[in-house]
Amino acid sequence: SQQGEEDPQALSIQEGENATMNCSYKTSINNLQWYRQNSGRGLVHLILIRSNEREKHSGRLRVTLDTSKKSSSLLITASRAADTASYFCASEGSSNTGKLIFGQGTTLQVKP
Amino acid sequence: NAGVMQNPRHLVRRRGQEARLRCSPMKGHSHVYWYRQLPEEGLKFMVYLQKENIIDESGMPKERFSAEFPKEGPSILRIQQVVRGDSAAYFCASSPPSSGGARTGELFFGEGSRLTVL
């Protein structure tokens, strides 16, 4: 399968806690992106990290990338009930055509 | 600035009928992508188009599926003789070109068209 893998598949935490999601991919990449999807809705881009970057921050989001292990993690700090959604990583290969390989996603539930 | 517009949002077809899904990219975006999402799964790439050109269709099934992005009007994903296995959410995404004509990294997704085949 060309799909990436994410773990955990599902995560349930209390508001205020941190949530960490992991993603692995198979081939060399140009960049790796994280998207969020609310139930029944489209995907919203959260953050992009390039292959020559190791860590990136955006608000309460922190993304790391380890190209030697072909893995990435997304950390959401101080979670809120509104963060409840599915989170997908997507890797873009070196062809830079916009063809993204998505992981299976992590379903995050943040309890108020 | 309107986002990526997809219609219809929901479509019901009987086996053997045709489904046409439309996508208008964001203003100024010249790159259009179609992805398919089966229930409880991630998205799978289908096709990448620029105006009047198919750039990468490696994810398109060999039969019954076609896509176009004409000079004028929206991009269309067409599924002929639908089968139950075609039931899925179909997402369109667009991205702007960089100054050199190549695309940038982030994709902007529409809300999706959910196809149900009875």
Side-chain angles (χ1 to χ4, degrees):
Chain A
S1 169
Q2 290 186 334
Q3 292 294 102
E5 295 182 1
E6 293 186 58
D7 79 272
Q9 288 190 330
L11 181 61
S12 182
I13 59 175
Q14 294 293 136
E15 223 171 12
E17 294 181 337
N18 295 342
T20 300
M21 290 160 260
N22 302 296
C23 163
S24 62
Y25 56 92
K26 299 183 187 299
T27 61
S28 61
I29 61 171
N30 182 43
N31 63 70
L32 187 134
Q33 305 175 34
W34 285 88
Y35 288 82
R36 166 194 168 128
Q37 184 181 35
N38 285 68
S39 181
R41 304 296 299 274
L43 276 75
V44 176
H45 181 267
L46 295 176
I47 195 166
L48 180 153
I49 186 166
R50 302 200 181 280
S51 58
N52 60 352
E53 297 176 312
R54 291 296 167 260
E55 187 172 311
K56 201 162 184 179
H57 297 254
S58 176
R60 294 184 295 115
L61 304 180
R62 172 177 167 253
V63 168
T64 62
L65 179 65
D66 186 336
T67 53
S68 67
K69 295 180 180 178
K70 289 188 169 59
S71 67
S72 174
S73 68
L74 172 67
L75 169 66
I76 304 174
T77 60
S79 64
R80 306 166 182 167
D83 294 330
T84 294
S86 293
Y87 293 82
F88 294 92
C89 68
S91 58
E92 181 175 358
S94 52
S95 64
N96 197 30
T97 61
K99 179 179 178 179
L100 299 180
I101 306 298
F102 280 85
Q104 297 290 86
T106 294
T107 300
L108 173 65
Q109 181 185 32
V110 181
K111 299 175 183 176
Chain B
N1 186 13
V4 177
M5 303 300 292
Q6 289 190 248
N7 69 83
R9 290 291 310 277
H10 300 274
L11 182 63
V12 178
R13 286 287 179 265
R14 297 192 180 279
R15 282 179 297 171
Q17 292 184 319
E18 178 179 289
R20 281 186 182 232
L21 311 177
R22 295 172 187 78
C23 169
S24 295
M26 287 182 68
K27 187 176 180 180
H29 287 195
S30 56
H31 304 263
V32 166
Y33 309 83
W34 286 93
Y35 285 80
R36 176 164 64 176
Q37 185 178 36
L38 296 172
E40 309 300 326
E41 292 189 9
L43 277 69
K44 293 190 177 181
F45 170 83
M46 298 182 75
V47 62
Y48 162 38
L49 311 104
Q50 295 182 24
K51 285 286 187 182
E52 299 184 280
N53 284 305
I54 297 174
I55 307 302
D56 183 344
E57 57 180 346
S58 58
M60 288 280 272
K62 299 299 181 189
E63 299 177 347
R64 302 187 297 107
F65 285 72
S66 62
E68 62 177 7
F69 188 17
K71 187 176 180 181
E72 301 290 338
S75 175
I76 303 224
L77 179 67
R78 181 183 178 203
I79 311 172
Q80 295 178 290
Q81 299 171 349
V82 296
V83 301
R84 287 204 174 125
D86 297 332
S87 295
Y90 292 84
F91 288 94
C92 173
S94 69
S95 71
S98 67
S99 58
R103 55 165 300 284
T104 58
E106 174 186 354
L107 296 188
F108 296 80
F109 282 85
E111 293 290 328
S113 292
R114 282 153 183 83
L115 172 66
T116 301
V117 180
L118 301 178

